[in-house]
Amino acid sequence: MTADQRRARAKAEFDEYMEMCPTSRLMAVLGNKWTTMLLNRLAGNGTMRHAELARSAPGISAKMLTQSLRALERDGLVTRHVTPTVPVQVDYTLTVLGESLMPVVAGVQNWAELHMPDVEVARVRYDGAQAGEAVPAPARSLG
């Protein structure tokens, strides 16, 4: 087996592992631009109509809202209830599984609020160093 074949095999094995990795799969769900916002809205308000969710999420298109909610429903995080009225009323609610995810979402949000300034400083330092600039030491420390 050639080195290229070994690398291709190793890559295929790693890709298969990543596809099945529970953490990687969850991060793909949470990495969606609108997922955490929609989960937070539903966690904070309980059942919400489609139109209410749309109003509470400025900037999301109707198509993206529908796609995001369908993905959350498919993953078992949200339930969808249709009331056959004129016009049709569609309500969304977190499932028990969705509710169980909320402490994880809150933890990620808390970490981001606390540490993103440090990440931004690190990025500026790194980018400056890559450009050959003298960069001052970080002002904050985690220790």
Side-chain angles (χ1 to χ4, degrees):
M1 183 180 289
T2 67
D4 282 343
Q5 290 170 327
R6 282 193 304 274
R7 279 191 295 274
R9 182 178 177 184
K11 181 186 180 318
E13 289 172 357
F14 181 75
D15 289 347
E16 182 179 336
Y17 165 78
M18 289 303 289
E19 190 174 311
M20 298 307 297
C21 174
T23 304
S24 179
R25 293 168 67 193
L26 173 62
M27 294 310 291
V29 171
L30 294 180
N32 176 290
K33 180 177 180 178
W34 300 105
T35 294
T36 55
M37 188 274 310
L38 292 170
L39 291 172
N40 278 322
R41 294 291 194 275
L42 290 168
N45 298 303
T47 299
M48 292 181 74
R49 292 184 180 173
H50 189 275
E52 291 175 313
L53 281 165
R55 282 192 300 275
S56 75
I60 190 170
S61 69
K63 178 181 177 182
M64 186 52 64
L65 176 59
T66 298
Q67 287 177 349
S68 298
L69 288 167
R70 284 185 182 160
L72 292 171
E73 183 181 11
R74 179 177 182 254
D75 290 340
L77 303 175
V78 168
T79 58
R80 178 178 182 258
H81 181 264
V82 178
T83 305
T85 58
V86 178
V88 172
Q89 179 178 318
V90 182
D91 297 312
Y92 293 90
T93 307
L94 285 182
T95 63
V96 171
L97 185 62
E99 290 174 1
S100 73
L101 181 58
M102 294 314 298
V104 174
V105 171
V108 170
Q109 289 172 325
N110 290 338
W111 187 94
E113 289 171 11
L114 183 63
H115 296 292
M116 282 311 293
D118 298 315
V119 171
E120 294 299 329
V121 167
R123 288 176 179 172
V124 168
R125 288 179 49 74
Y126 180 89
D127 292 346
Q130 294 300 306
E133 301 170 7
V135 182
R140 295 175 37 152
S141 171
L142 297 176

mmCIF file of all heavy atoms in Angstrom, residues 111-112 114-127 140 142:
data_model
loop_
_atom_site.group_PDB
_atom_site.id
_atom_site.type_symbol
_atom_site.label_atom_id
_atom_site.label_comp_id
_atom_site.label_asym_id
_atom_site.label_seq_id
_atom_site.Cartn_x
_atom_site.Cartn_y
_atom_site.Cartn_z
ATOM 1 N N TRP A 111 -19.991 30.402 28.766
ATOM 2 C CA TRP A 111 -18.576 30.362 28.436
ATOM 3 C C TRP A 111 -18.245 31.432 27.408
ATOM 4 O O TRP A 111 -17.250 32.147 27.534
ATOM 5 C CB TRP A 111 -18.179 28.981 27.904
ATOM 6 C CG TRP A 111 -16.699 28.848 27.721
ATOM 7 C CD1 TRP A 111 -15.811 28.336 28.614
ATOM 8 C CD2 TRP A 111 -15.926 29.264 26.582
ATOM 9 N NE1 TRP A 111 -14.536 28.407 28.104
ATOM 10 C CE2 TRP A 111 -14.582 28.973 26.858
ATOM 11 C CE3 TRP A 111 -16.247 29.853 25.366
ATOM 12 C CZ2 TRP A 111 -13.556 29.248 25.950
ATOM 13 C CZ3 TRP A 111 -15.231 30.136 24.458
ATOM 14 C CH2 TRP A 111 -13.895 29.827 24.757
ATOM 15 N N ALA A 112 -19.079 31.556 26.388
ATOM 16 C CA ALA A 112 -18.834 32.537 25.322
ATOM 17 C C ALA A 112 -18.831 33.956 25.872
ATOM 18 O O ALA A 112 -17.955 34.758 25.538
ATOM 19 C CB ALA A 112 -19.878 32.387 24.219
ATOM 20 N N LEU A 114 -18.174 34.912 28.857
ATOM 21 C CA LEU A 114 -17.032 35.104 29.744
ATOM 22 C C LEU A 114 -15.707 35.130 28.985
ATOM 23 O O LEU A 114 -14.821 35.925 29.297
ATOM 24 C CB LEU A 114 -17.005 33.985 30.804
ATOM 25 C CG LEU A 114 -15.914 34.062 31.856
ATOM 26 C CD1 LEU A 114 -16.073 35.323 32.708
ATOM 27 C CD2 LEU A 114 -15.963 32.826 32.740
ATOM 28 N N HIS A 115 -15.562 34.275 27.980
ATOM 29 C CA HIS A 115 -14.246 34.062 27.377
ATOM 30 C C HIS A 115 -14.052 34.590 25.956
ATOM 31 O O HIS A 115 -12.912 34.619 25.481
ATOM 32 C CB HIS A 115 -13.902 32.572 27.403
ATOM 33 C CG HIS A 115 -13.767 32.033 28.788
ATOM 34 N ND1 HIS A 115 -12.746 32.404 29.640
ATOM 35 C CD2 HIS A 115 -14.548 31.172 29.476
ATOM 36 C CE1 HIS A 115 -12.894 31.780 30.790
ATOM 37 N NE2 HIS A 115 -13.984 31.032 30.721
ATOM 38 N N MET A 116 -15.094 35.011 25.271
ATOM 39 C CA MET A 116 -14.884 35.505 23.911
ATOM 40 C C MET A 116 -13.988 36.740 23.861
ATOM 41 O O MET A 116 -13.217 36.886 22.911
ATOM 42 C CB MET A 116 -16.205 35.741 23.185
ATOM 43 C CG MET A 116 -16.846 34.452 22.662
ATOM 44 S SD MET A 116 -15.747 33.344 21.738
ATOM 45 C CE MET A 116 -15.417 34.325 20.268
ATOM 46 N N PRO A 117 -14.021 37.621 24.875
ATOM 47 C CA PRO A 117 -13.032 38.704 24.850
ATOM 48 C C PRO A 117 -11.588 38.174 24.838
ATOM 49 O O PRO A 117 -10.731 38.715 24.142
ATOM 50 C CB PRO A 117 -13.326 39.501 26.126
ATOM 51 C CG PRO A 117 -14.781 39.235 26.378
ATOM 52 C CD PRO A 117 -14.995 37.810 25.971
ATOM 53 N N ASP A 118 -11.333 37.082 25.572
ATOM 54 C CA ASP A 118 -10.005 36.473 25.572
ATOM 55 C C ASP A 118 -9.677 35.873 24.205
ATOM 56 O O ASP A 118 -8.542 35.961 23.739
ATOM 57 C CB ASP A 118 -9.915 35.380 26.650
ATOM 58 C CG ASP A 118 -10.120 35.940 28.042
ATOM 59 O OD1 ASP A 118 -9.532 36.999 28.352
ATOM 60 O OD2 ASP A 118 -10.873 35.318 28.806
ATOM 61 N N VAL A 119 -10.665 35.275 23.581
ATOM 62 C CA VAL A 119 -10.468 34.706 22.242
ATOM 63 C C VAL A 119 -10.141 35.822 21.259
ATOM 64 O O VAL A 119 -9.228 35.690 20.432
ATOM 65 C CB VAL A 119 -11.712 33.901 21.793
ATOM 66 C CG1 VAL A 119 -11.606 33.499 20.330
ATOM 67 C CG2 VAL A 119 -11.912 32.674 22.681
ATOM 68 N N GLU A 120 -10.863 36.935 21.353
ATOM 69 C CA GLU A 120 -10.598 38.061 20.455
ATOM 70 C C GLU A 120 -9.187 38.613 20.655
ATOM 71 O O GLU A 120 -8.490 38.924 19.679
ATOM 72 C CB GLU A 120 -11.639 39.168 20.652
ATOM 73 C CG GLU A 120 -13.043 38.767 20.236
ATOM 74 C CD GLU A 120 -13.170 38.408 18.766
ATOM 75 O OE1 GLU A 120 -12.428 38.978 17.933
ATOM 76 O OE2 GLU A 120 -13.995 37.541 18.445
ATOM 77 N N VAL A 121 -8.753 38.735 21.902
ATOM 78 C CA VAL A 121 -7.387 39.198 22.181
ATOM 79 C C VAL A 121 -6.380 38.227 21.583
ATOM 80 O O VAL A 121 -5.396 38.626 20.955
ATOM 81 C CB VAL A 121 -7.173 39.368 23.707
ATOM 82 C CG1 VAL A 121 -5.701 39.537 24.042
ATOM 83 C CG2 VAL A 121 -7.970 40.552 24.226
ATOM 84 N N ALA A 122 -6.620 36.933 21.767
ATOM 85 C CA ALA A 122 -5.710 35.920 21.218
ATOM 86 C C ALA A 122 -5.653 36.012 19.699
ATOM 87 O O ALA A 122 -4.581 35.887 19.097
ATOM 88 C CB ALA A 122 -6.155 34.525 21.655
ATOM 89 N N ARG A 123 -6.782 36.249 19.071
ATOM 90 C CA ARG A 123 -6.815 36.379 17.610
ATOM 91 C C ARG A 123 -5.997 37.577 17.143
ATOM 92 O O ARG A 123 -5.245 37.490 16.160
ATOM 93 C CB ARG A 123 -8.251 36.508 17.109
ATOM 94 C CG ARG A 123 -9.031 35.218 17.194
ATOM 95 C CD ARG A 123 -10.466 35.415 16.788
ATOM 96 N NE ARG A 123 -11.208 34.160 16.838
ATOM 97 C CZ ARG A 123 -12.510 34.068 16.674
ATOM 98 N NH1 ARG A 123 -13.237 35.165 16.431
ATOM 99 N NH2 ARG A 123 -13.104 32.906 16.734
ATOM 100 N N VAL A 124 -6.172 38.693 17.832
ATOM 101 C CA VAL A 124 -5.412 39.902 17.464
ATOM 102 C C VAL A 124 -3.917 39.649 17.643
ATOM 103 O O VAL A 124 -3.110 39.999 16.773
ATOM 104 C CB VAL A 124 -5.881 41.113 18.303
ATOM 105 C CG1 VAL A 124 -4.924 42.286 18.165
ATOM 106 C CG2 VAL A 124 -7.296 41.510 17.903
ATOM 107 N N ARG A 125 -3.553 39.012 18.760
ATOM 108 C CA ARG A 125 -2.133 38.706 19.004
ATOM 109 C C ARG A 125 -1.597 37.778 17.910
ATOM 110 O O ARG A 125 -0.520 38.005 17.367
ATOM 111 C CB ARG A 125 -1.933 38.064 20.370
ATOM 112 C CG ARG A 125 -2.098 39.010 21.542
ATOM 113 C CD ARG A 125 -1.910 38.332 22.883
ATOM 114 N NE ARG A 125 -0.713 37.511 22.975
ATOM 115 C CZ ARG A 125 0.542 37.966 23.083
ATOM 116 N NH1 ARG A 125 0.764 39.268 23.095
ATOM 117 N NH2 ARG A 125 1.548 37.139 23.174
ATOM 118 N N TYR A 126 -2.330 36.733 17.597
ATOM 119 C CA TYR A 126 -1.904 35.769 16.592
ATOM 120 C C TYR A 126 -1.769 36.436 15.231
ATOM 121 O O TYR A 126 -0.752 36.278 14.544
ATOM 122 C CB TYR A 126 -2.897 34.608 16.520
ATOM 123 C CG TYR A 126 -2.518 33.575 15.491
ATOM 124 C CD1 TYR A 126 -1.686 32.510 15.822
ATOM 125 C CD2 TYR A 126 -2.993 33.660 14.184
ATOM 126 C CE1 TYR A 126 -1.327 31.563 14.882
ATOM 127 C CE2 TYR A 126 -2.647 32.720 13.239
ATOM 128 C CZ TYR A 126 -1.806 31.671 13.578
ATOM 129 O OH TYR A 126 -1.457 30.749 12.638
ATOM 130 N N ASP A 127 -2.797 37.171 14.818
ATOM 131 C CA ASP A 127 -2.768 37.831 13.517
ATOM 132 C C ASP A 127 -1.623 38.833 13.439
ATOM 133 O O ASP A 127 -0.951 38.946 12.410
ATOM 134 C CB ASP A 127 -4.099 38.519 13.222
ATOM 135 C CG ASP A 127 -5.234 37.520 13.016
ATOM 136 O OD1 ASP A 127 -4.968 36.313 12.832
ATOM 137 O OD2 ASP A 127 -6.400 37.952 13.053
ATOM 138 N N ARG A 140 -5.587 40.291 30.175
ATOM 139 C CA ARG A 140 -6.359 39.436 31.071
ATOM 140 C C ARG A 140 -5.696 38.073 31.196
ATOM 141 O O ARG A 140 -5.009 37.627 30.312
ATOM 142 C CB ARG A 140 -7.768 39.250 30.537
ATOM 143 C CG ARG A 140 -8.571 40.504 30.505
ATOM 144 C CD ARG A 140 -9.904 40.339 29.866
ATOM 145 N NE ARG A 140 -10.547 39.052 30.151
ATOM 146 C CZ ARG A 140 -11.840 38.858 30.181
ATOM 147 N NH1 ARG A 140 -12.638 39.866 29.951
ATOM 148 N NH2 ARG A 140 -12.346 37.680 30.426
ATOM 149 N N LEU A 142 -6.632 33.979 32.594
ATOM 150 C CA LEU A 142 -7.630 33.054 33.095
ATOM 151 C C LEU A 142 -7.211 32.445 34.432
ATOM 152 O O LEU A 142 -8.007 31.857 35.117
ATOM 153 C CB LEU A 142 -7.868 31.918 32.075
ATOM 154 C CG LEU A 142 -8.422 32.371 30.738
ATOM 155 C CD1 LEU A 142 -8.520 31.179 29.802
ATOM 156 C CD2 LEU A 142 -9.769 33.027 30.906
#
